[in-house]
Amino acid sequence: MLTRRAAVLSAVAAATLSAVNTRTASAATPRKTVPARLKLPAPSGPHPVGTVSLRLVDTSRADPWVTTQPYRELMLGIRYPARAVGGHPRAPQMLPGEAAGFAAVNNLTDVPGDKVDWAATRTHAYEGAPADRDRGPYPVVCYSPGVGDPRSLGTTLCDDLASRGYVVVTLDHTYDASAVQFPGGRVERTVLPAEFDKAYPDPGRIRALLKKTMAARVADTRFLLDALPGALPGELRGLPDWDRLGMFGHSAGGFTALQAMHDDRRIAAAADFDGVLAYVQEDSDSGYLSSVAAEGLDRPFLLVGKDGNDLSTVPSWNALWRHSRGRGEGLTLRGAEHATYTDAEAMIPGIARQLGLSRRTVVENIGTIAPGRAITAQRACLAAFFDRRLRGRTGEALPDRFPEVRPFSRRNGSVPHG
């Protein structure tokens, strides 16, 4: 049985935000007392990947969540094509403080967070590796995670995009993400469960919380675009091509990407992985549209839904499609769930094997699609979109290679864009 807060937040997850799930117990009995250790799939592109982390401080605004703090503080991860990686360590997916926060508060259904060694997972990006300047400058793509999620939960897609010749900037939304670790080891944890408790059950207050959350995320994104070119470490200066800028995200991060593109003309193209574009608690609620859905976009965008999410079932997507002059592309992935588009797709099978979780728990988290197929298909779809929109490349039709990919069509309510 879900707690009141978890139940309400799960409804929000199906729409604008991911649930902030405080459950740490599983319905299944773990087979081991040794914490599960996980692996992420290697990137598929030709470049090795380097990474650095960067702290940014916005002194022009007070923190929206901690009113006594007169500035907004953010952590970024920057992935880039590397020249060589020998002698450089593989970066952790989560730092110890981030791992502890994620173990305590995460969006995974019936997964015992305290029985996984989240800090042990290594990415395929190498800390401080020298950049490959010979083939740069590279297009830039920013990434925003779902509400309650750390930026590191998009590692599978972000590392792959960097390996294909992009500079990828991942953004943690402080006090929204489960935990953010700053230089020196200080950790700031999410305040959203407490904020939701204060808002529940008043629909107006819940809606106001959703709007506040999205406004903070878009402001974070626009500050990143203002500050980052000048704040880059010297060894990365000149590597990004800021005239070829895109953004993508999962859940509320997808909403953030499209809303930021609506508000900021520097973003040339954006992709939304299963993020509803309205301040509602149900996907099917047709009210309280965001300005991006109500006014549309004049630049290219991509919508990617879990199985069953398309223009006929998500009214805010349909509104965006109808109101946009920019080229819209959309698809669903057969058998996908909401968390399919995060690192959960790679991690849940390993957790299930090591801890003896049920098949039902696996399906509730990542659906019925084979994890390898899901990861390969979504990587290809994302790269193909940005290759077309930021590089002017053309490629083969994705459904010809991936029968799991189902493009939006007239049958599910779309109107093709020119």
Side-chain angles (χ1 to χ4, degrees):
M1 179 68 68
L2 294 178
T3 64
R4 180 193 71 190
R5 180 173 67 198
V8 176
L9 284 172
S10 293
V12 178
T16 310
L17 307 179
S18 296
V20 179
N21 181 356
T22 58
R23 291 167 293 164
T24 57
S26 173
T29 301
R31 292 175 183 164
K32 297 182 179 180
T33 57
V34 177
R37 289 193 159 211
L38 308 173
K39 293 183 178 180
L40 296 175
S44 62
H47 299 270
V49 178
T51 184
V52 297
S53 296
L54 187 64
R55 171 179 174 264
L56 292 181
V57 178
D58 184 357
T59 58
S60 70
R61 60 181 169 132
D63 193 281
W65 302 113
V66 180
T67 55
T68 57
Q69 184 166 292
Y71 55 86
R72 178 71 166 155
E73 188 178 21
L74 303 171
M75 283 300 296
L76 313 179
I78 304 172
R79 258 51 176 183
Y80 54 88
R83 185 175 73 250
V85 296
H88 295 268
R90 285 171 60 180
Q93 183 189 28
M94 300 181 199
L95 296 172
E98 295 166 340
F102 188 77
V105 181
N106 63 69
N107 296 322
L108 303 176
T109 301
D110 289 330
V111 173
D114 58 346
K115 298 187 184 303
V116 179
D117 188 352
W118 302 107
T121 307
R122 290 293 178 267
T123 70
H124 294 272
Y126 292 80
E127 295 180 341
D132 182 355
R133 294 185 170 278
D134 293 342
R135 286 177 274 190
Y138 303 97
V140 183
V141 176
C142 299
Y143 172 76
S144 174
V147 159
D149 288 341
R151 69 186 192 274
S152 55
L153 208 62
T155 295
T156 298
L157 285 175
C158 292
D159 280 3
D160 187 73
L161 204 55
S163 79
R164 294 172 185 251
Y166 289 85
V167 172
V168 182
V169 182
T170 63
L171 172 61
D172 264 335
H173 301 283
T174 314
Y175 304 115
D176 172 332
S178 52
V180 182
Q181 184 165 326
F182 288 92
R186 175 172 55 90
V187 178
E188 302 295 348
R189 293 200 178 193
T190 182
V191 302
L192 290 185
E195 292 291 324
F196 206 97
D197 276 346
K198 288 188 287 186
Y200 183 86
D202 186 326
R205 293 184 68 183
I206 293 172
R207 206 156 43 244
L209 177 58
L210 304 185
K211 289 183 177 180
K212 178 179 178 178
T213 302
M214 291 307 304
R217 287 167 150 262
V218 172
D220 290 346
T221 302
R222 300 190 73 180
F223 170 68
L224 178 160
L225 299 181
D226 291 339
L228 190 55
L232 279 175
E235 59 271 22
L236 298 185
R237 297 280 177 89
L239 195 70
D241 182 351
W242 295 101
D243 291 328
R244 293 185 291 167
L245 174 65
M247 187 169 182
F248 81 105
H250 168 252
S251 192
F255 188 166
T256 302
L258 295 191
Q259 187 65 53
M261 184 165 79
H262 172 273
D263 296 351
D264 197 314
R265 295 205 62 82
R266 288 174 290 186
I267 301 174
D272 173 0
F273 283 82
D274 214 42
V276 173
L277 306 173
Y279 306 109
V280 296
Q281 296 182 54
E282 299 289 343
D283 287 12
S284 57
D285 191 334
S286 60
Y288 307 106
L289 292 177
S290 62
S291 57
V292 65
E295 298 170 7
L297 292 165
D298 62 359
R299 282 151 286 156
F301 62 91
L302 171 68
L303 301 173
V304 182
K306 69 179 182 181
D307 200 341
N309 274 7
D310 57 36
L311 300 183
S312 67
T313 58
V314 184
S316 63
W317 285 8
N318 192 284
L320 170 71
W321 203 275
R322 288 185 290 105
H323 296 143
S324 292
R325 291 179 289 114
R327 171 77 185 193
E329 300 177 56
L331 59 93
T332 58
L333 201 58
R334 288 189 182 92
E337 258 299 338
H338 187 64
T340 292
Y341 304 114
T342 72
D343 288 345
E345 189 66 34
M347 298 159 72
I348 289 293
I351 297 172
R353 284 193 302 271
Q354 294 176 62
L355 299 183
L357 303 187
S358 67
R359 170 65 177 166
R360 178 179 177 181
T361 295
V362 173
V363 170
E364 285 181 352
N365 279 283
I366 60 173
T368 57
I369 186 171
R373 294 290 297 177
I375 291 167
T376 301
Q378 61 187 290
R379 282 175 164 182
C381 291
L382 184 67
F385 172 73
F386 284 124
D387 281 352
R388 289 195 300 276
R389 302 310 173 195
L390 299 182
R391 286 176 156 154
R393 296 178 180 174
T394 58
E396 64 181 313
L398 287 170
D400 291 345
R401 293 175 54 204
F402 301 104
E404 300 89 349
V405 174
R406 183 165 47 201
F408 289 177
S409 69
R410 290 186 182 276
R411 288 189 299 276
N412 57 39
S414 78
V415 179
H417 283 239

